[in-house]
Amino acid sequence: MNINKKALSERDVCTKYITPALIRSGWTQDQIREEVTFTDGRIRVHGQRVTRDTPKRADYVLYFKSNQPIAVIEAKDNARSLGSGMQQAIDYGKTLDVPFVFSSNGDGFLEHDLTAYEGTVERELTLDAFPSPAELWDRYRGIRELSAEEEKVVAQPDHSEPGGKQPRYYQRIGINRTVEAIAKGQNRILLVMATGTGKTYTAFQIIWRLWKSGAKKRILFLADRNILVNQTRVNDFKPFGSAMTKITNRTVDKAYEIYLCLYQAVTGVEEEKNVYREFSPDFFDLVIVDECHRGSAVEDSAWREVLEYFSSATQIGMTATPKETEYASNIDYFGPPIYTYSLRQGIEDGFLAPYKVVRIDIDKDLQGWRPSAGKRDKYGHLIEDRVYNQQDMDRALVLERRTELVARRVSAFLKATDRYAKTIIFCEDIPHAERMRQAMVNENADLVNEDSRYIMRITGDESLGKAELDNFIDPESRYPVVATTSKLLSTGVDTQTCKLIVLDQTIKSLSAFKQIIGRGTRIKEEFGKLFFTILDFKKATELFADPDFDGDPVQIYLPGQDDPPTPPDEEPTAPEGPAGEAAGRPKYFVDDVAVSIVAERVQYYGNDGRLITEELKDYTRRNVLKEYTTLEAFLKVWTGAERKRIVIAELVSQGVLIEELAEEVGRDYDPFDLVCHVAFDRPPLTRRERANNVRKRNVFAKYGAQVRAVLDALLDKYADAGIEQIEDPAILNVQPINKMGTPLEIIALFGGREKYFATVRQLEAALYAE
């Protein structure tokens, strides 16, 4: 039977031509993976409503080994050219870090060598000339100059269980690049992955493959928080079983192979307390440093001494926020990152939650406050005569009404959204966190009376609060809901369902800021956590504008410079004395100074991965004009679309914030009018005005009474809820339309499904007619 090849669908081309060609070339079903979805699709927030972009999906990913993707194939139907899928294949290939990409329409293949190793970048192949697995792997080995011994390490399988967790594409890249680099003899490696992207799981797979291949026999995993070590031991590292131990009570048992340890558990001020010296310097083959931006980044720190003691071991630094300042450098010690997976990329892929910022300015913060002559604080202390500004608030000066104002605004936000949304309030220090707890309790007395754990201070000095930390981070546990803190929750704590982060802390360190923001970036879809909000009272979110916020780290500190200055205290936590003084400096408490909010501004996460700092209307105009240079160009696309929701979705993907624009311009306007008004200065009409214009023109007089009644009801639905509602057939199940019959009966009134949708399109045309 003759097959009209050009009439086949893309899937038919894959099934009848591409897959058989691969099998004839020696690829097995285990090596061929079809329709591989490798992202989740970016989350778009429309007010409180959330949608996802379409995930990225490769038609084929070919694997030499189960953990070694080596090629991508993008298929198209036969009506298109052989290379019509090549640009998409190249984009996917670069994302997935594979060396070879192909495009096919079923007639043959166009190959693109992303390494350009042999000089020829692209070449056409017949359908039966696709390279075999061995051929592609030999080419890859040649490119990477892998010896037989190195290949044994590189090809070691991941740990896997049937139906178990598999690495995401970026974790796979981090694992493979690190294992290969170590196999080739690289001994210092820096791996940068945004908070919430699975650094610990990635570390586990790296260790597993090096351990199982015999390349590394004894491994030390170092962290700086006990909760991190414990989470690691019982979760990601569990498969190590009896080969693993945690160093506790400053005792050492040398019978194990995998050691988990706190820095603090093996170091001490006095030399005899340095437990790590009970191991010989060459005891460990591999040391992994979690959150390496902390103590180990500083050249003369006690933590760095541990790494230098085990200097013969291969060492991997892992962090979301590599520290690169004039005082400390991860790059100086570990070298440039072998791979970076950024917050922006995580949000773009849909693996991390997007955010919006509410910037709140308080009068005394911006304008400053100067005490009147001879003014004393509530404890009778004479207040130093100077201007106190935002930098001083809750450091040198406590305005108690300011604390109450912040608590009132935070509580108002929760009451307007979700009072049981997990919330972290970052304060200047522990006493500030306690004052904020008290103020929040007074603002939420009803819920505190139901359960006193509704609001808790979770700080390093408070045993009851720390005891509730596991409950706070447990998605299944309702309480605590609101946590006030200073440093304890700023890093390494897996707060999966945190929906609100409040910044009432002066933050100047970019790494500290990124760690704090990371408390909200995790997604927990089954608990309704898909995005989060930042309430910023201290201008901390100005750090989003830093060019280095989401870029690759750049080394600033240079070794050997003369007498580098002592690094400043980035996160002050000085305890207060009984007279209300912070250690080494006076602190004044004032309870009779009024404060007020002078400005609020909402800032949204833009398509470029940065906060939108310009006016929303200007931002919208700029994004629309990128795609539609004239009103006529936009009208042509809008009127020509069979489904307006497709155009709306395209606008959203281009960065047009429809819901937010409606809040600013008017919620009674259609997306069409919002865009035309803001981008092209066209006077807008409300949806109800458009619906009434259709009625005045008596557009549907030719139809019978029953059909006109349905169309009239659809116009009402449009006026109430918008164009996307009437395009959805589910509208026929909604009152009052459902009173006119079942959906099938209503569609029958129009003469069938095709005629029903044709009439809906006529209705849309009438709505947008000049």
Side-chain angles (χ1 to χ4, degrees), residues 708-728:
R708 288 202 307 272
V710 174
L711 294 173
D712 197 57
L714 288 176
L715 281 174
D716 284 336
K717 290 298 180 186
Y718 165 78
D720 290 337
I723 194 68
E724 293 177 272
Q725 290 289 317
I726 68 172
E727 289 187 337
D728 188 347

Side-chain angles (χ1 to χ4, degrees), residues 392-442:
D392 298 303
M393 298 302 168
D394 290 290
R395 287 181 159 189
L397 175 71
V398 175
L399 297 180
E400 294 188 353
R401 293 188 186 179
R402 184 189 180 282
T403 306
E404 293 166 2
L405 178 65
V406 171
R408 189 158 57 249
R409 183 63 187 88
V410 173
S411 300
F413 180 88
L414 291 171
K415 289 170 184 176
T417 52
D418 175 9
R419 295 188 75 185
Y420 287 95
K422 296 280 186 174
T423 299
I424 305 176
I425 305 176
F426 287 96
C427 302
E428 292 288 0
D429 52 24
I430 289 173
H432 182 202
E434 172 56 25
R435 293 192 299 274
M436 188 62 68
R437 184 198 66 80
Q438 295 170 25
M440 286 294 295
V441 165
N442 290 332

Side-chain angles (χ1 to χ4, degrees), residues 38-139:
F38 57 91
T39 72
D40 278 359
R42 176 172 165 168
I43 294 169
R44 305 278 179 180
V45 183
H46 318 274
Q48 293 298 310
R49 186 169 60 92
V50 175
T51 61
R52 273 193 186 270
D53 288 353
T54 302
K56 288 186 177 181
R57 185 177 68 186
D59 291 323
Y60 291 86
V61 179
L62 305 183
Y63 286 73
F64 179 69
K65 297 285 187 181
S66 62
N67 56 3
Q68 291 290 336
I70 196 169
V72 165
I73 304 173
E74 186 58 32
K76 298 297 178 184
D77 61 60
N78 195 251
R80 307 194 201 189
S81 67
L82 190 67
S84 60
M86 181 51 75
Q87 290 188 159
Q88 191 173 349
I90 291 172
D91 178 51
Y92 288 176
K94 287 181 177 178
T95 300
L96 297 174
D97 204 32
V98 302
F100 311 111
V101 298
F102 300 82
S103 172
S104 178
N105 64 355
D107 288 340
F109 297 94
L110 180 66
E111 177 188 355
H112 185 106
D113 184 345
L114 289 174
T115 69
Y117 175 67
E118 296 177 341
T120 302
V121 177
E122 289 193 356
R123 59 175 180 160
E124 289 191 13
L125 304 170
T126 65
L127 205 57
D128 288 325
F130 193 86
S132 68
E135 181 181 344
L136 284 187
W137 183 249
D138 283 346
R139 286 166 60 185

Side-chain angles (χ1 to χ4, degrees), residues 59-295:
D59 291 323
Y60 291 86
V61 179
L62 305 183
Y63 286 73
F64 179 69
K65 297 285 187 181
S66 62
N67 56 3
Q68 291 290 336
I70 196 169
V72 165
I73 304 173
E74 186 58 32
K76 298 297 178 184
D77 61 60
N78 195 251
R80 307 194 201 189
S81 67
L82 190 67
S84 60
M86 181 51 75
Q87 290 188 159
Q88 191 173 349
I90 291 172
D91 178 51
Y92 288 176
K94 287 181 177 178
T95 300
L96 297 174
D97 204 32
V98 302
F100 311 111
V101 298
F102 300 82
S103 172
S104 178
N105 64 355
D107 288 340
F109 297 94
L110 180 66
E111 177 188 355
H112 185 106
D113 184 345
L114 289 174
T115 69
Y117 175 67
E118 296 177 341
T120 302
V121 177
E122 289 193 356
R123 59 175 180 160
E124 289 191 13
L125 304 170
T126 65
L127 205 57
D128 288 325
F130 193 86
S132 68
E135 181 181 344
L136 284 187
W137 183 249
D138 283 346
R139 286 166 60 185
Y140 178 78
R141 284 181 58 202
I143 294 163
R144 304 301 299 171
E145 299 180 343
L146 291 176
S147 68
E149 190 61 30
E150 291 164 358
E151 182 183 357
K152 176 186 172 185
V153 179
V154 168
Q156 176 65 40
D158 293 328
H159 175 272
S160 63
E161 298 174 3
K165 186 176 180 180
Q166 297 293 321
R168 291 171 173 170
Y169 85 85
Y170 61 87
Q171 294 170 337
R172 166 79 62 224
I173 295 171
I175 295 163
N176 284 349
R177 285 193 185 182
T178 302
V179 169
E180 184 174 317
I182 291 172
K184 294 179 69 64
Q186 187 171 329
N187 282 322
R188 297 291 182 271
I189 292 169
L190 180 61
L191 188 56
V192 179
M193 295 171 64
T195 299
T197 57
K199 290 190 296 296
T200 308
Y201 175 71
T202 302
F204 161 71
Q205 290 288 9
I206 291 168
I207 295 170
W208 180 270
R209 285 171 61 178
L210 294 170
W211 183 55
K212 282 293 185 180
S213 68
K216 304 295 176 185
K217 296 182 173 62
R218 288 193 289 241
I219 295 101
L220 175 63
F221 180 86
L222 282 170
D224 76 317
R225 296 285 173 91
N226 202 44
I227 189 170
L228 289 175
V229 175
N230 292 337
Q231 286 175 349
T232 298
R233 185 180 188 184
V234 300
N235 295 324
D236 290 322
F237 280 35
K238 186 177 180 180
F240 288 126
S242 60
M244 173 177 59
T245 188
K246 175 185 175 183
I247 298 175
T248 57
N249 300 320
R250 309 189 74 82
T251 58
V252 168
D253 184 341
K254 300 178 183 178
Y256 294 89
E257 296 173 80
I258 313 294
Y259 292 79
L260 308 183
C261 183
L262 281 173
Y263 281 110
Q264 298 91 324
V266 292
T267 59
V269 177
E270 300 171 14
E271 185 66 23
E272 62 268 20
K273 292 183 179 179
N274 288 330
V275 176
Y276 66 88
R277 292 183 179 275
E278 294 187 27
F279 296 101
S280 63
D282 60 354
F283 184 84
F284 292 109
D285 306 307
L286 175 66
V287 177
I288 294 191
V289 187
D290 194 31
E291 306 292 1
C292 69
H293 65 281
R294 295 180 69 82

